[in-house]
């Protein structure tokens, strides 16, 4: 599970049926200090600039919206507030 | 499976049903020397400052508390004591 | 899920039945700044130079084309267009 | 699957039922040159100093001893002998 | 899925039943430029010096030879020929 910021969108062609119609967003990882980029299927109508919460692996296909997809990473919530202590 | 220290909490909005009501904690990895951060669903009422034991991947959905969630990482115990030898 | 460019092809011999007949392509990762290489089963007739979209893990066996294979990474679409903002 | 040396033990409290009673060992990775540390459920009565063979992911729950646990990494053998050629 | 060269063999003792009788080989990764080492169950009678094709995760238990094992990485073919373009 990761915290990430939405930074872009991907449009697919020649997609197999199991991924057609899904919105694929480009995310910047906020969980690690490395700050890499990754892709996720959107299930919560996220938009560029939103801070989102993602799940990976087979977990990404446990939701009603993605259960028949080929997704391996999904946005499952918008992040509302973060409280982090420096311990 | 990882050793980690709880350092914060995440509040979600627009969450899909399968993750609503779960407490998401921010953890500092104590297993590796890299010391990165990651997120986990709490199943043992852990709090900030606690040293916890987590499982990842489909294992995170094997417990009674998480079996219908979209979790990919879960806190499944508090760490009581560690014995490490320098060999 | 990753963005990648097709850079080559792999031919197998002594392959077990569950991977025979599948086209294995060599991909250059475009998702991360590390730019590593990885392998994927092709399901969309991709060719060298194409920008493709891949899925990994058990997701790679969710499609009609790969469900009985031993694949752990599959090309499931060609990338048509990318919109990335610098935020 | 990894080669590792047992270097310590972890004691848990407030553990969920699915991990109670399992022995959790601290391992030093011998597979990679990075030499990191990781945790595994023991299924072969390994002790500190032993060189062991581990499996990860859902494979860690395929054995009789771990099939109902939340384990994501398990020690499944002691390593007897290694033959490595410098090619 | 990875390209790798076989560089050694591992002999196990005290192995749990689900891994007994499997040949475990030591592989040098040829996919990435990092060139790390990893372990895999052999299903194609590979030998030291052979270039092989491996699958990881639950895919490693999809073959007839490994479906009841605890394997998380398996050699499923010998690599015959590679064509890589510098694009």
């Amino acid at each position: 599970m990761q915290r990430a910021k939405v930074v872009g969108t991907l449009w697919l062609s020649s997609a197999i049926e199991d991924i057609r119609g899904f919105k694929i967003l480009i995310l910047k990882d906020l969980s690690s200090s490395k700050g890499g980029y990754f892709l996720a299927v959107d299930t919560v109508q996220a938009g560029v600039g939103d801070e989102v919460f993602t799940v990976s692996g087979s977990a990404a296909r446990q939701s009603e919206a993605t259960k028949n997809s080929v997704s391996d990473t999904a946005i499952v919530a918008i992040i509302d507030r973060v409280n982090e202590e420096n311990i």
Side-chain angles (χ1 to χ4, degrees), chain A:
Chain A
M1 304 190 297
Q2 289 173 277
R3 281 166 64 191
K5 181 171 273 198
V6 181
V7 297
T9 310
L10 214 67
W11 283 269
L12 307 176
S13 64
S14 310
I16 62 167
E17 209 184 310
D18 318 72
I19 197 74
R20 263 182 235 156
F22 286 94
K23 186 167 68 164
I24 312 294
L25 295 175
I26 306 173
L27 304 178
K28 182 175 185 171
D29 184 14
L30 302 175
S31 302
S32 78
S33 47
K34 287 182 240 159
Y37 291 83
F38 62 103
L39 306 174
V41 162
D42 179 33
T43 71
V44 297
Q45 315 289 345
V48 170
D50 282 343
E51 250 191 72
V52 295
F53 176 73
T54 65
V55 296
S56 295
S58 51
R61 294 188 306 280
Q62 302 295 310
S63 77
E64 197 57 40
T66 58
K67 68 182 177 187
N68 293 316
S69 76
V70 296
S71 164
D72 66 21
T73 309
I75 298 171
V76 297
I78 302 281
I79 292 177
D80 201 48
R81 194 158 58 88
V82 174
N83 181 46
E84 207 162 344
E85 296 185 27
N86 197 359
I87 55 170

